[in-house]
Structures are given as structure tokens and as C-alpha cells.
Amino acid sequence: MHILGIDIGGTGVKGAVIDTAIGELVTERFRLESPRPLTPESLAITIQAVVAQHQWSGPIGIGFPAAIQHGIARTAANIDPSFIGLPVADYFTKQTGCPVYVANDADVAGLAEMRFGAGQNVAGVVLIVTIGTGLGTALFSDGHLLPNTELGHIVLDNGMEAERYASEAVRDLQKLKWKDWGDRFNHYLITMEKLFWPDLIVLGGGASKKLPKFAPRITTQTPVTPAHFLNQAGMIGAALFAEENLDK
């Protein structure tokens, strides 16, 4: 089945038509800058542009940077607070004229990796961490997702919120060398390991492409591997989520 998958990021909104049977893009990725401020109204205009670019009228899956409960946004860490309490799935359905299905952005990236990527056929606990403007997480046990974990907001033992200490945005802002940022990120992974003892950690998002630069700083007992889909996982997983929920 072909579904338009859209990934809402802190810096960019990406979309492509996905073949959900094989987890591959069937159109070129189309990217627009994320609007500032990122409000429901401004984001709707951007999503409409992505839909128009693909001349799309079918179902749409969206990976959204918030905890999503039954289609309603419950948090707003890197987006406008006016999203909190908004039924985003219904809102974007009305704005696009297409049936829209929305889930947490890291969760849908995790769906892609578990179905077709680095987590495929991995038993036990798999933790997926997306490294970007924040730190997104998806947690799976024997292939089953525990949604909306949002573990990038956990407070570390140094008193700092994880994504304000070890995200890619922090590395850029503070101009940290890869080894110094790698030590911070390793601190975060060690904390996750002590909490969940995963069998595999998968790293996605923009910084995952640079894994060789900071891999020597990672000291977890748990194997760590880059995401198969890198920063395409959000679009692919959003389409998979939509397909799973078409008849619900």
C-alpha cells in the first residue's frame, strides 16, 4: 500500500510516499524548513505544501514531536504550547482533506526500524534513540511498542534534563567536539541501560550518520548500532502507523 509519510522535526518537515509492504520511498523526499514559531496554524500550511507537492489525496501518517494519546498532543517540548490538548489527527485531517494518523515521532521511527531495519527479528528489549533537536526514544519488548516514553526528558544524575545535555542541538550550540559530546551521550546511554537493560540500542536521527566519530566514547554493555533508515525512519514509520490504524 502507498501512504504519504510525514516527519515533523525541529528544523525540517519531510515527506515522501512510502510503499508500506517493503518500507521504501516511492517518491523523492520533499523537505521544507519547520515554521517559526511552530504553531498549529503555521504547521498546517507546511503540511499542506507537502501534500500539494505529492498531489496526494489518500491517507497520511505523521510522526509528531510530542506525546500523542488517542490522536491528542499531550506535551510540547520543542513546539508551541498551543498544541497541548489539541486533537492533532483531527485537526490535520480537516486542514488537508485527507485521513491523517498521528503518533510520536520517535515511536514511528522505531516502528520502521523494528519492521524493516536494525531491530528486525531482534527478541527482547530494544531501545531506539533519535538524536536531533532533542532526544527521542522508542522502547520495544519482543516487538511490542510502549508508546510515548519520551526518555529524552529524564533528569540525569548530574541534575540536567538529558536532551538539554546530550542532544545534537546542544552539541551544535555549545560547539562541542565529538569526543566531548560523545562522553555526554554515553552518560545518557549508561543511564538508559541501568533502567531497562536492553538487548540492543539503535541510534537514529541526524547524528546517527556520524556514529564513527563518537562510537569510541560509548561504553555500554548493550550493543549499539546505527539505524538502518537513518533520518528516513520517521517518514517510513509514520506511513506504517497509518496503515496499522486505517480501520480503527
Side-chain angles (χ1 to χ4, degrees), residues 39-122:
T39 64
E41 295 78 14
S42 65
L43 183 56
I45 293 171
T46 304
I47 289 174
Q48 287 166 352
V50 175
V51 173
Q53 172 69 21
H54 291 90
Q55 299 180 323
W56 189 254
S57 60
I60 300 171
I62 295 179
F64 195 78
I68 303 294
Q69 184 182 44
H70 309 304
I72 299 172
R74 297 301 187 189
T75 60
N78 296 305
I79 56 178
D80 194 83
S82 59
F83 273 107
I84 295 177
L86 182 70
V88 287
D90 290 343
Y91 178 76
F92 291 127
T93 292
K94 292 176 182 176
Q95 295 296 318
T96 62
C98 301
V100 174
Y101 304 85
V102 181
N104 174 265
D105 54 351
D107 284 350
V108 299
L111 289 175
E113 291 297 331
M114 295 301 291
R115 179 83 62 86
F116 296 112
Q120 188 177 20
N121 299 321
V122 177

Side-chain angles (χ1 to χ4, degrees), residues 130-203:
T130 58
I131 313 164
T133 304
L135 292 174
T137 58
L139 189 64
F140 292 82
S141 178
D142 290 331
H144 298 287
L145 171 68
L146 177 64
N148 297 315
T149 48
E150 294 282 273
L151 295 169
H153 299 297
I154 196 168
V155 176
L156 301 173
D157 58 9
N158 60 8
M160 295 192 68
E161 183 183 38
E163 71 173 29
R164 296 185 183 277
Y165 179 68
S167 67
E168 185 177 20
V170 168
R171 185 188 65 80
D172 289 340
L173 181 65
Q174 298 184 11
K175 296 180 171 55
L176 296 172
K177 294 180 179 179
W178 281 105
K179 66 181 183 65
D180 296 327
W181 177 82
D183 288 339
R184 291 189 180 199
F185 187 65
N186 182 60
H187 184 175
Y188 173 67
L189 291 185
I190 290 291
T191 302
M192 294 297 97
E193 184 175 59
K194 289 178 179 178
L195 286 172
F196 301 107
W197 291 105
D199 296 280
L200 178 67
I201 297 173
V202 179
L203 303 183

